[in-house]
Amino acid sequence: MSEKKIVIIGGVAGGATAAARLRRLDERAHIVILERSGYVSYANCGLPYYVGGTITDRSKLTLQTPESFRARFNIDVHVHQEAVSIDRAQQVVHVRNLEDKSTYDEPYDELILSPGARAVVPPLPGVDSERLFTLRTVEDTFAIHDFIERAQAKRATVVGAGFIGLEMTENLCERGIDVTLVQRDPQAMLPIDADMAPFVHNELRRNGVELHLNATVTGFVEKDDALVTQLADGQKFAADLVILAIGVTPDSTLAKDAGLELGLRGSIRVDEHLRTSDSHIFAVGDAIEVRHVVTGRPALIALAGPANKQGRIAADNICGRKTTFTGSQGSSVLKLFDLTITSTGLNARQAAQVGIDFDAVVLSPASHATYYPGAGSMTLKVLFERSGERRGRIIGAQIVGTDGADKRIDVLATAIRAQMGASDLTELDLAYAPPYSSAKDPVNMAGYLIENILDGLVKQVSWGEATNLPEDAVLVDVRTPGEVARGGIEGSLRIPLDELRDRTGELPRDKTLYVHCQSGLRSYVACRMLSQLGFSCANVAGGYGFYAASAL
Amino acid sequence: MSEKKIVIIGGVAGGATAAARLRRLDERAHIVILERSGYVSYANCGLPYYVGGTITDRSKLTLQTPESFRARFNIDVHVHQEAVSIDRAQQVVHVRNLEDKSTYDEPYDELILSPGARAVVPPLPGVDSERLFTLRTVEDTFAIHDFIERAQAKRATVVGAGFIGLEMTENLCERGIDVTLVQRDPQAMLPIDADMAPFVHNELRRNGVELHLNATVTGFVEKDDALVTQLADGQKFAADLVILAIGVTPDSTLAKDAGLELGLRGSIRVDEHLRTSDSHIFAVGDAIEVRHVVTGRPALIALAGPANKQGRIAADNICGRKTTFTGSQGSSVLKLFDLTITSTGLNARQAAQVGIDFDAVVLSPASHATYYPGAGSMTLKVLFERSGERRGRIIGAQIVGTDGADKRIDVLATAIRAQMGASDLTELDLAYAPPYSSAKDPVNMAGYLIENILDGLVKQVSWGEATNLPEDAVLVDVRTPGEVARGGIEGSLRIPLDELRDRTGELPRDKTLYVHCQSGLRSYVACRMLSQLGFSCANVAGGYGFYAASAL
Ligand SMILES: Cc1cc2nc3c(=O)[nH]c(=O)nc-3n(C[C@H](O)[C@H](O)[C@H](O)COP(=O)(O)OP(=O)(O)OC[C@H]3O[C@@H](n4cnc5c(N)ncnc54)[C@H](O)[C@@H]3O)c2cc1C
Ligand SMILES: Cc1cc2nc3c(=O)[nH]c(=O)nc-3n(C[C@H](O)[C@H](O)[C@H](O)COP(=O)(O)OP(=O)(O)OC[C@H]3O[C@@H](n4cnc5c(N)ncnc54)[C@H](O)[C@@H]3O)c2cc1C
Ligand SMILES: CC(C)(COP(=O)(O)OP(=O)(O)OC[C@H]1O[C@@H](n2cnc3c(N)ncnc32)[C@H](O)[C@@H]1OP(=O)(O)O)[C@@H](O)C(=O)NCCC(=O)NCCS
Ligand SMILES: CC(C)(COP(=O)(O)OP(=O)(O)OC[C@H]1O[C@@H](n2cnc3c(N)ncnc32)[C@H](O)[C@@H]1OP(=O)(O)O)[C@@H](O)C(=O)NCCC(=O)NCCS
């Protein structure tokens, strides 16, 4: 084997993984990691939990150190070294030593870029306040942590209700800090659909978070030992500190300056071997453009799983192993207080954007057999293609719930990866015992619901349609009087399912019956009965439970 | 739609599901369920937990009653009615009313058999003792429960360490009863391999169960208010009661007497539409022979998931919907005290039986990022084809662990269903955040391990091979001195991984190095280094942790 010199820019998820794999594949290569911050191989995803106090040991935030990389992998790790430009003709990286400000050249045979993504910081007034923080590195984490201790912070404003904003919100609450959470969009957590987001909003409010949706920040003003966040509608929130977490953008300046081909929103374009437009330069992680597994189109997916996988693939290819990265589907999961929020594949907005004709089912299964104690509840939404060649193909799924949500999303992610359709879901042979699942797992059940729609056994309407009731339709509630007493929709005809067969005379034959129950199951049973008895009817997806969650 | 008369024999998992689906598909059909026991739609899988006191409410054991079936589905449910024979020419079932012993005929247009499986009761002396119980129905459960209360039972012997035996063992322990567990085979839980079973044995012993393996029961003798279980080797265990749980067999007498075609071990043979050799008779559930998804061969798989799925498919076909049952893969899961034991697809014995050339990887991942508190541990074994056209295909998996074991088995079950290979596992885009998983999920990691073996990056030996060390091999332990101090294998050369690169001079070049660490990861890294430096070496699968568990 040749003594190749391989330089890696960025020593965390993508970069560190590439380095370790490189060494395993090539014992003789000279491997150098350049890292701008003071740490490599750190647990980005764990950082919020250090702020919250769930992780207290600073050493737990890094999986490897420069020393351990040397001892185990014989890799040269240089921290506080910033790659400032790349001379592709000379195959040299110009580096600035951030400790002594000196500069030097680092030649390479092969170069891997894993610079990650930067927090988006819009040019708003006051955004440079020392009370305003973004979170990306270990240093950022310590800065927030130390500021909170020093200032004995009691109030924080978090701007942005995506992954990092929500994790920071939870962790600030864990420290006893009052949090105001400001989100420009009408919902938190954009990966999930608008009708699923209310569960998130409720969980935030239940935990004392002051949530402001549709709230555009116009700037920040320091005043009386506080930083005041100002909204377009005039509202102002004073706090000891502000966390700005409105998204990330590929950190691709180096690549751009070096004239490498770029893709979506300035990301680095790579081929399936993760090679950039320069055959000696590979790029991985948050900075690159990937192919979306479901749409086949370019996408940006800034997550640790793909970054790790890509690091290994880049290393493979440098060592002559022609492995490929075939794409991401954006599977993600977030813990928010007692809730798990998780999704994979496309959501409704994304599916519409690429012009897929889709529909979705909503169900609220228990995490395991309800006769066995401790079952949690979840709301599961599964999107599928409604027409065309791939009719029935599963294109995305979202779950908000407690126990077992992460399990079902991973099963669905695997099914999506395998291009499965509704009937494949019904056939999945999943492991069942009462403490773990139901004989028909929620994923099987989702398959049944979809099959029934595709087979024309039942028509489905959404609550959007059911609450904007057409003239020729009427709402029918088939729940029991006990359930109705706990809440229901005005103007519904009320006949409990178990009496329906004997009371069809009370139903109008000249109207479409929009039937609902608590979850959608009994109303489906009702629809099957009624449609065979000559009624025109449709099942309201998700039932009153789904409606009530959004209406809270 | 015609007014078909459909008779269903057996009103639980397969039968009750078929009945409900039939009604949804055909509002006008006349549907009759004949059930020998006093209950329909009962939670077989919950029965042991009633004995243990986890479920206390008797009504929770049944999901539907004859009355609710009537109200909701307009179905005639007749309990305490035994189908005694089928006259296929006349399309009539002869029924005995077990309450008044009368007999009558129930004509059918279509017949569904869902009679389930009987507990195997060998003709041993004393097997008819009133202190000896098997568990299948609600009545059996109450009988055990009431006997325990009445006799104030303190000691029980459980014969058979499969699903029901282990669940009963746990539940008897929960009631404070001392349990002796007797198993004829050298291991408990035959669905998992011999090298995985020690985790189960340890968990049993840790919870005070007296476990006897390789123990053949020769008979039972009542003596002094106790039932004495006698073993072939002369051992005797006196107890207040005995639970006999040595397996189940298809309850196919009816089908056999009616001259229907039978399959494996007397099971009912069906086509993919679940039609028996008589076109008006369908059969589902524990009583039928299915196609094994992995081998394509006939198999018996007595589990609730398949039974439920099959019930729906039989109903579909009776109503003209040509859905198919394409097979089972035996995915199962068991809670045993704090342990989850779960498997899918083929185990080593089954793979060998059908002549597949396979190998397996063993890993011990954490259930989630270890820097986030509360991670559990698991041991994961994945079997794959080693040669041939489908080289790399995943054929089975087993996990013993705590948190998150059920999640990974379901992902692997889905992957197996999709005929995925090792590299597909590495590509799975699973949802990651620290409380739920690692950036490389255990399933991805299993894919890496397999790929490395198939690609020839590392040779692997089992502990069986490593402990029967060939002349020309030597054991190398690359763990730290601290780890070695807590236990290790005599005669190993000991060099911590992080010192290995500088100390290769201490290693023999004329021998094969069998390298191990705690889990297999560091020894793999060592093997990569050493093989490139000209050493002949192999990684000991599973590491010392796996060895120690079996040696306990
Ligand atoms: C707070 C937080 C929580 C997260 N939680 C999750 C989660 O739960 N699940 C999940 O899947 N993902 C999560 N992520 C995202 C995940 O961490 C990233 O997707 C992943 O780390 C990307 O890997 P990367 O190698 O591309 O970039 P990074 O891991 O960000 O590493 C890039 C490194 O390159 C360095 N660098 C950049 N430019 C230069 C230069 N010019 N010279 C030298 N060094 C340079 C940077 O300092 C940085 O250390 C989280 C991220 C953050 C910040
Ligand atoms: C204690 C226990 C725990 C279990 N735990 C699990 C688990 O955790 N996970 C899992 O997947 N599976 C489990 N199972 C297995 C699961 O219950 C069965 O696979 C499933 O119930 C099979 O469905 P079936 O319809 O074929 O038979 P069953 O559900 O057994 O129903 C058959 C019914 O038919 C009746 N019957 C039989 N013959 C006649 C006749 N001639 N006339 C009238 N009626 C008749 C019987 O009385 C019985 O009620 C467990 C089983 C038991 C007994
Ligand atoms: C710590 C770090 C350098 C480790 O990289 P790594 O060595 O590739 O990863 P792991 O320690 O998980 O080991 C995986 C390797 O061990 C092998 N392995 C793991 N368990 C094994 C076992 N039981 N037996 C044999 N091999 C095993 C795998 O096959 C893989 O090797 P390969 O890539 O050559 O196939 C890197 O993951 C990192 O820096 N992570 C922190 C940053 C980060 O990911 N942040 C975002 C998430 S918080
Ligand atoms: C109780 C029992 C009769 C229910 O049978 P079932 O009605 O088929 O099953 P479910 O109540 O789960 O309902 C499933 C049906 O509702 C539909 N459904 C479920 N949730 C829905 C929702 N939110 N919206 C619309 N439809 C929904 C499904 O599509 C399915 O209908 P389909 O088969 O026509 O497609 C049967 O499962 C049984 O007897 N179980 C106990 C015995 C047993 O299984 N034992 C072993 C395990 S312990």
Side-chain angles (χ1 to χ4, degrees), chain A residues 131 155 222-228 240:
Chain A
R131 292 177 177 273
R155 293 170 309 170
E222 296 213 25
K223 203 181 150 197
D224 306 337
D225 259 13
L227 186 61
V228 180
D240 298 309

Side-chain angles (χ1 to χ4, degrees), chain B residues 346-414:
Chain B
L346 303 181
N347 60 24
R349 187 176 36 78
Q350 294 166 325
Q353 243 165 30
V354 294
I356 296 178
D357 178 33
F358 71 97
D359 197 358
V361 293
V362 177
L363 56 168
S364 336
S367 60
H368 65 243
T370 48
Y371 57 77
Y372 188 89
S377 64
M378 66 182 93
T379 301
L380 164 58
K381 181 171 183 178
V382 182
L383 285 72
F384 59 96
E385 291 201 51
R386 181 158 56 179
S387 61
E389 254 177 51
R390 312 212 252 195
R391 190 164 181 265
R393 179 175 70 130
I394 308 305
I395 58 168
Q398 305 161 32
I399 311 181
V400 182
T402 52
D403 257 17
D406 59 322
K407 167 157 103 173
R408 276 56 183 223
I409 214 69
D410 277 358
V411 171
L412 284 159
T414 307

Side-chain angles (χ1 to χ4, degrees), chain B residues 182-259:
Chain B
V182 175
Q183 165 83 335
R184 190 179 52 187
D185 300 84
Q187 70 167 85
M189 257 330 253
L190 294 180
I192 64 173
D193 288 340
D195 54 1
M196 296 289 281
F199 293 98
V200 180
H201 306 159
N202 296 340
E203 185 69 2
L204 286 165
R205 292 186 178 122
R206 203 174 65 82
N207 284 279
V209 175
E210 194 183 316
L211 174 65
H212 295 269
L213 301 171
N214 298 305
T216 303
V217 173
T218 52
F220 307 90
V221 180
E222 298 213 25
K223 201 182 152 195
D224 307 336
D225 260 11
L227 185 60
V228 180
T229 303
Q230 302 182 308
L231 300 192
D233 68 2
Q235 287 190 81
K236 293 184 168 65
F237 310 113
D240 299 309
L241 75 159
V242 171
I243 306 285
L244 188 67
I246 59 170
V248 298
T249 187
D251 198 342
S252 55
T253 328
L254 265 183
K256 189 180 166 206
D257 291 350

Side-chain angles (χ1 to χ4, degrees), chain A residues 432-434, chain B residues 9-15 34-37 39 42 44-48 81-84 114-117 135-137 164 167 251 254 284-287 302-305 307 333:
Chain A
Y432 161 62
Chain B
I9 300 177
V12 196
L34 300 172
E35 167 57 49
R36 182 166 52 196
S37 79
Y39 301 84
Y42 54 86
N44 329 52
C45 322
L47 301 179
Q81 310 294 313
E82 180 172 36
V84 287
S114 190
L135 177 57
R136 175 184 186 186
T137 61
I164 297 180
E167 285 183 355
D251 198 342
L254 265 183
V284 303
D286 289 358
L303 289 166
V333 58

Side-chain angles (χ1 to χ4, degrees), chain A residues 27 329 331 429 501 528, chain B residues 24 27 329 331 429 501:
Chain A
E27 177 62 20
Q329 64 195 65
S331 307
D429 192 346
R501 209 169 257 111
R528 286 300 309 152
Chain B
R24 289 190 290 266
E27 177 61 20
Q329 64 195 66
S331 306
D429 192 345
R501 209 170 257 107

Side-chain angles (χ1 to χ4, degrees), chain A residues 448-518:
Chain A
Y448 289 145
L449 267 71
I450 299 172
E451 248 188 23
N452 291 337
I453 292 171
L454 292 174
D455 289 354
L457 285 179
V458 67
K459 283 210 189 70
Q460 170 176 281
V461 291
S462 68
W463 275 113
E465 296 163 271
T467 47
N468 289 304
L469 206 63
E471 286 272 310
D472 62 346
V474 57
L475 278 178
V476 180
D477 184 345
V478 298
R479 296 177 304 153
T480 62
E483 290 174 288
V484 171
R486 288 193 290 279
I489 291 169
E490 285 301 315
S492 297
L493 272 173
R494 289 174 178 154
I495 309 181
L497 174 60
D498 292 349
E499 299 172 17
L500 194 58
R501 209 169 257 111
D502 296 331
R503 292 175 57 187
T504 52
E506 300 171 34
L507 296 171
R509 290 203 168 259
D510 56 345
K511 299 219 168 182
T512 300
L513 312 174
Y514 283 14
V515 191
H516 75 273
C517 62
Q518 188 66 20

Side-chain angles (χ1 to χ4, degrees), chain A residues 142-158:
Chain A
F142 293 163
I144 296 170
H145 180 267
D146 296 351
F147 179 88
I148 290 173
E149 304 250 295
R150 214 169 50 241
Q152 306 243 353
K154 303 259 171 316
R155 293 170 309 170
T157 301
V158 175

